[in-house]
Amino acid sequence: MGSIQVLPDIVASQVAAGEVVERPASVIKELVENSIDAGARRITVEFQRGGTRMMRVTDDGSGMDRSDALLCLERHATSKIRQSTDLAAITTMGFRGEALPSIASVSRFELSSRRREDEAGTLVTVIGGKIHVVQESGEAPGTKIEVGDLFFNVPARRKFLRGEQTEAANIIQQIEFLAVAHPEIAFTCLRDGREVFRLAATEDLAVRLRDLHGEEFLGKLLPVASFESQGISVRGWIAKPGEGRSDRTLQMTFVNGRIIRSPVLSLPLREACDGMLIKGLHPPAVLFFDMDPAAVDCNVHPAKREVRFRDPSNLRAVALQAARSAWGNASPSSGFTPGVGSDPLFSPIISSVWKPHDPPSQHELPVYVMESDRVEESPPPLYQHPSPSGNVGFAFSARFLGQLAGKYLLFDEQGGLLLLEIRAARERILYERFLARLTIGEIESQRLLLPEVLTLSPADAAWIEAHEKLLQKAGLSAELFGQGSIKVDAVPADAVNLSVMEIVIRLVDELRTQGASSSLDKGTRETLASSVSRLAAAGGKLPSGEEGARILLKDLLDCNLPYSTPKGRPTMSLLAPGELSRRFSA
Ligand code: ADP
Ligand code: MG
C-alpha cells in the first residue's frame, strides 16, 4: 500500500458525485431543489436523450453575484447553513454545498446567473471540474444551469445508466414529485424539445394534481381532514378503498416538503386498509406531514432520499390516524375488495405438496392444511377452531355443488367441502399457459375495433413508450400519441371485462413495480405471465354452470402447481369431513 495522499479536489468531487449524482434524475433533483431554495416562481426543465446529452434548469429565483457564482462551485460552499448546529433544523432542500461541485466534476457544466439588482450576470463554464471560462452574461434575472454529457469523464458510471427512455421517465417522475410539493411554482418540462407538461402556478394543490394526473385520479382520492397531533400536522388525500395499485409511485408522502419513501409512512397506510385491499396492493396517496425541522434528521442519505425521525412511532400513529379518518365514512359496500384470507372458516391448502399428474394413490393423498398467515387484530371468536391437521384425503372426483357470491365454486370432496376461488384459480391456469406461450412468442391479444386514445400521467406515458416491445409481448399494443397520451390498438385477449384504461394502468403498474427489463429472459417472462394472468383473471367471465365449473377445476388440477397463484394466494380451500364434524360436535 502506498503512502497516504490528500485527494485533489476534482477527484474528491467525483467521489462525492458518485453518491449525490447517481443518474440524470438526481442531477435534476438537485438543480430544481436549488431553484426552489432560491425562491423561484417559475422553473423550466429541459433535457435531451434521457438527460445524458443535456439537462438545463432555468429559474427566476434570487440569482447569484459574480463571487457567489464562483464560490458555489467549491466543495462545501453553501449559503444555507453556517454552523454545525444549523444541521439540527434544516428548512431548505439543500444544505451540504456538495451538489454543484459534484455535478460540475462529472459533466460539461455551464452556470449563468444574475441577481435582479445587478446590471449584468455571470457565466461560468466548467469542464470535468475545471473552471474554463468566467465572463459577463446578459441573461434574465435568475439562474440557468446546463449540464452536458453527464459522466463523459467517468465511463464506469456511464455504463450504469439505464436506457434513455428509462432515464427520461425517472426525470419526469422526479419533477412530478417536486411539482406536487410546490404547486405555488410554475413548472415546465421539455423533453427533446417537446413539451411534457406546463403547469401553471396555483394555490390549490388539487388543481396541481389534476393538471398532472388528470381528473380521474383526483376522483379516486378522499380528502384527509387536516389535523394536528403530537406536533405533526397532516393534510392531503388518500385513495378510496378498493383503488389499490401494486405500484407505490402514486403513494407520495412528503415530510416538511421533501418526498420521503419510508416504511414509517407506508406501513401504517397499508395497515389502515387491511381487509379492504388485496395483499400486495397499496393505496395511492398524497400526504403532507409537517413538523418541527428539529424532529427530522435529513443528513443521513447522500441524495437526501432518506431521513431519520426523532420519534417514528408518533409519526406512524399520525399516518394511521390520517388514513383511518379518511376512510371512516367509506362503507364496505362502496366497491372495496375484501382482504385475502379474511374468512377464518376455511384454510388455504398449501401448495406443491403433490401434483395431480402423478398421485401415488388418489385416496390417500397427503394435503397439508394450514391456517392463513393473516394477523387478525381481533379474530371473530365465533369461528375459533383448532388448526386442522394434515393427512386429509383429497381427490378430484369432486361433485359440483354450486357457485357462491360470484366468487367461489363449491364442490363435495368426499364428504368435505372444497372451495375454489375462481379468480385465483384462473390466475394460476392462465399463468402457466402464458408462460408457455412466451417461450415461443407473445401472449394472445385481441384487436380493438377502434383504437383507443388514453390520457395518462407524463411519467406513465414515458414508461409505456420505453417499454413498447415488452408490452407487445404481453398482448398490449400501445404507442405514444402526443403529450402524455397513448394510442392502444390491442389488449390481452383474456381480459374481456376490463376497460382499456384499467388494463393499461394495471399492467404498467405491475411491470414497473417488478422492474421488468426489456430483454425477454426467464425472469421477465415470469413477470409478464404473472402480471397478465392477474389482469386477465380479474377481467375474465365467470364459469357458466356445472360444465364450466368442472372445466375450471380440471384445468387447475392440470397445472404444475395448482394450489396457489404465482404470488402465493391460495386457489383452493378444503373443509375436511373431520373438520366439519368437529364443528358440530358437542
Ligand atoms: P446546497 O444546496 O447544499 O447549499 P449546492 O451545491 O446545491 O449546495 O449549491 C451551493 C450554493 O449555490 C447554494 O447554497 C446557493 O447559495 C447557490 N445556488 C445554487 N443554485 C442556485 C440557484 N438556482 N439560484 C441561486 N443560488 C443558487
Ligand atoms: Mg443544493
Side-chain angles (χ1 to χ4, degrees):
M1 203 170 286
S3 59
I4 293 180
Q5 281 190 354
V6 175
L7 289 175
D9 241 18
I10 292 184
V11 180
S13 293
Q14 286 179 351
V15 173
E19 297 177 334
V20 185
V21 186
E22 288 165 321
R23 48 184 3 101
S26 31
V27 171
I28 295 291
K29 174 175 186 281
E30 294 294 339
L31 297 183
V32 174
E33 285 186 351
N34 280 345
S35 299
I36 294 170
D37 283 342
R41 311 303 303 169
R42 164 168 295 283
I43 299 173
T44 301
V45 182
E46 298 157 83
F47 63 92
Q48 283 169 10
R49 309 199 53 180
T52 54
R53 163 74 56 78
M54 191 281 290
M55 292 175 272
R56 187 189 296 133
V57 174
T58 313
D59 70 51
D60 60 354
S62 63
M64 289 176 270
D65 64 14
R66 189 185 173 96
S67 77
D68 274 358
L70 285 166
L71 199 56
C72 75
L73 295 165
E74 306 265 338
R75 298 199 66 210
H76 307 302
T78 178
S79 57
K80 298 169 194 174
I81 59 173
R82 289 278 176 265
Q83 51 206 25
S84 67
T85 47
D86 290 346
L87 273 176
I90 305 281
T91 54
T92 48
M93 304 294 274
F95 52 85
R96 288 202 198 99
E98 235 169 19
L100 292 188
S102 299
I103 296 166
S105 72
V106 292
S107 67
R108 303 181 209 279
F109 181 97
E110 210 178 271
L111 174 155
S112 65
S113 194
R114 185 186 139 199
R115 298 188 307 172
R116 201 159 294 274
E117 59 268 40
D118 293 341
E119 285 279 288
T122 312
L123 171 73
V124 185
T125 309
V126 187
I127 298 177
K130 287 204 201 87
I131 293 188
H132 267 237
V133 182
V134 185
Q135 65 190 54
E136 271 198 0
S137 83
E139 298 283 344
T143 302
K144 180 167 87 183
I145 289 178
E146 187 172 316
V147 177
D149 292 335
L150 184 66
F151 299 139
F152 79 95
N153 55 347
V154 245
R157 293 207 66 84
R158 238 191 137 87
K159 279 202 209 99
F160 279 98
L161 294 179
R162 308 275 292 274
E164 217 173 286
Q165 312 276 11
T166 306
E167 297 297 352
N170 282 336
I171 290 179
I172 296 169
Q173 177 86 78
Q174 191 62 251
I175 310 171
E176 282 181 25
F177 288 152
L178 291 158
V180 170
H182 294 278
E184 76 285 1
I185 300 175
F187 280 90
T188 302
C189 173
L190 295 162
R191 170 187 178 183
D192 297 311
R194 290 185 318 185
E195 189 174 299
V196 180
F197 52 73
R198 181 179 293 271
L199 306 167
T202 170
E203 289 308 311
D204 188 349
L205 181 56
V207 171
R208 173 60 46 102
L209 286 175
R210 191 200 56 205
D211 290 351
L212 263 177
H213 295 289
E215 197 74 56
E216 202 178 341
F217 176 66
L218 207 59
K220 289 181 175 163
L221 300 177
L222 290 169
V224 170
S226 311
F227 68 95
E228 191 175 329
S229 169
Q230 330 256 13
I232 303 170
S233 71
V234 194
R235 66 200 161 87
W237 289 266
I238 186 159
K240 292 174 181 163
E243 296 290 354
R245 306 258 310 231
S246 54
D247 183 345
R248 257 201 296 253
T249 44
L250 282 177
Q251 205 170 77
M252 298 177 251
T253 44
F254 299 86
V255 175
N256 290 352
R258 227 180 261 285
I259 180 107
I260 295 297
R261 293 296 172 72
S262 163
V264 173
L265 294 167
S266 60
L267 289 181
L269 293 188
R270 180 57 242 188
E271 188 186 332
C273 59
D274 230 16
M276 298 208 240
L277 269 185
I278 298 180
K279 261 190 201 135
L281 294 187
H282 309 276
V286 185
L287 287 172
F288 292 84
F289 300 86
D290 287 294
M291 63 194 82
D292 179 3
V296 195
D297 184 0
C298 310
N299 195 18
V300 287
H301 187 275
K304 294 168 285 183
R305 263 205 311 270
E306 288 162 18
V307 290
R308 197 175 288 133
F309 300 108
R310 198 171 58 194
D311 192 348
S313 58
N314 251 349
L315 186 59
R316 220 176 277 129
V318 171
L320 190 63
Q321 194 183 339
R324 290 204 168 135
S325 75
W327 288 340
N329 305 323
S331 75
S333 58
S334 63
F336 77 80
T337 326
V340 173
S342 54
D343 183 349
L345 249 177
F346 299 99
S347 319
I349 301 171
I350 203 164
S351 62
S352 63
V353 177
W354 59 275
K355 297 208 299 186
H357 298 296
D358 50 358
S361 150
Q362 284 207 350
H363 292 276
E364 291 157 20
L365 298 170
V367 171
Y368 299 102
V369 181
M370 62 170 193
E371 285 288 7
S372 149
D373 61 358
R374 201 176 111 95
V375 186
E376 291 269 350
E377 250 178 40
S378 50
L382 191 61
Y383 296 133
Q384 280 297 290
H385 57 83
S387 175
S389 53
N391 294 335
V392 185
F394 183 66
F396 47 112
S397 54
R399 188 166 62 87
F400 179 59
L401 298 174
Q403 229 181 67
L404 183 67
K407 283 179 70 179
Y408 309 100
L409 300 179
L410 275 48
F411 295 90
D412 167 358
E413 172 49 44
Q414 297 185 38
L417 184 58
L418 173 70
L419 279 116
L420 178 152
E421 212 237 339
I422 298 168
R423 185 158 155 181
R426 296 197 72 220
E427 207 177 306
R428 162 55 64 184
I429 296 163
L430 290 171
Y431 172 76
E432 296 199 0
R433 196 176 91 205
F434 291 161
L435 200 58
R437 285 282 310 197
L438 280 169
T439 52
I440 50 167
E442 303 172 356
I443 290 175
E444 300 94 320
S445 69
Q446 180 182 328
R447 213 139 260 294
L448 298 176
L449 284 177
L450 288 173
E452 203 163 309
V453 175
L454 308 175
T455 309
L456 301 170
S457 77
D460 282 349
W463 195 91
I464 288 171
E465 190 188 10
H467 296 84
E468 221 178 282
K469 288 225 175 63
L470 187 76
L471 292 168
Q472 192 88 44
K473 289 275 174 199
L476 183 86
S477 156
E479 59 184 29
L480 200 67
F481 191 75
Q483 298 316 329
S485 292
I486 58 157
K487 185 169 73 111
V488 183
D489 299 314
V491 295
D494 287 274
V496 289
N497 284 354
L498 292 179
S499 73
V500 175
M501 187 67 159
E502 258 174 303
I503 292 176
V504 169
I505 289 203
R506 285 200 198 195
L507 199 58
V508 168
D509 254 16
E510 294 224 358
L511 294 178
R512 185 162 50 196
T513 313
Q514 302 186 27
S517 69
S518 306
S519 70
L520 209 60
D521 54 18
K522 183 163 173 284
T524 307
R525 286 201 302 271
E526 284 171 359
T527 304
L528 276 184
S530 127
S531 301
V532 184
S533 66
R534 209 166 15 263
L535 194 73
K541 291 202 196 96
L542 284 177
S544 62
E546 170 156 10
E547 169 89 16
R550 298 207 134 274
I551 293 174
L552 194 67
L553 179 62
K554 178 175 182 309
D555 285 351
L556 180 61
L557 293 173
D558 277 343
C559 287
N560 286 321
L561 297 167
Y563 294 111
S564 70
T565 67
K567 285 257 168 129
R569 218 155 67 73
T571 52
M572 288 182 277
S573 198
L574 180 68
L575 198 59
E579 174 59 24
L580 271 173
S581 44
R582 229 188 334 272
R583 264 165 206 274
F584 294 103
S585 61

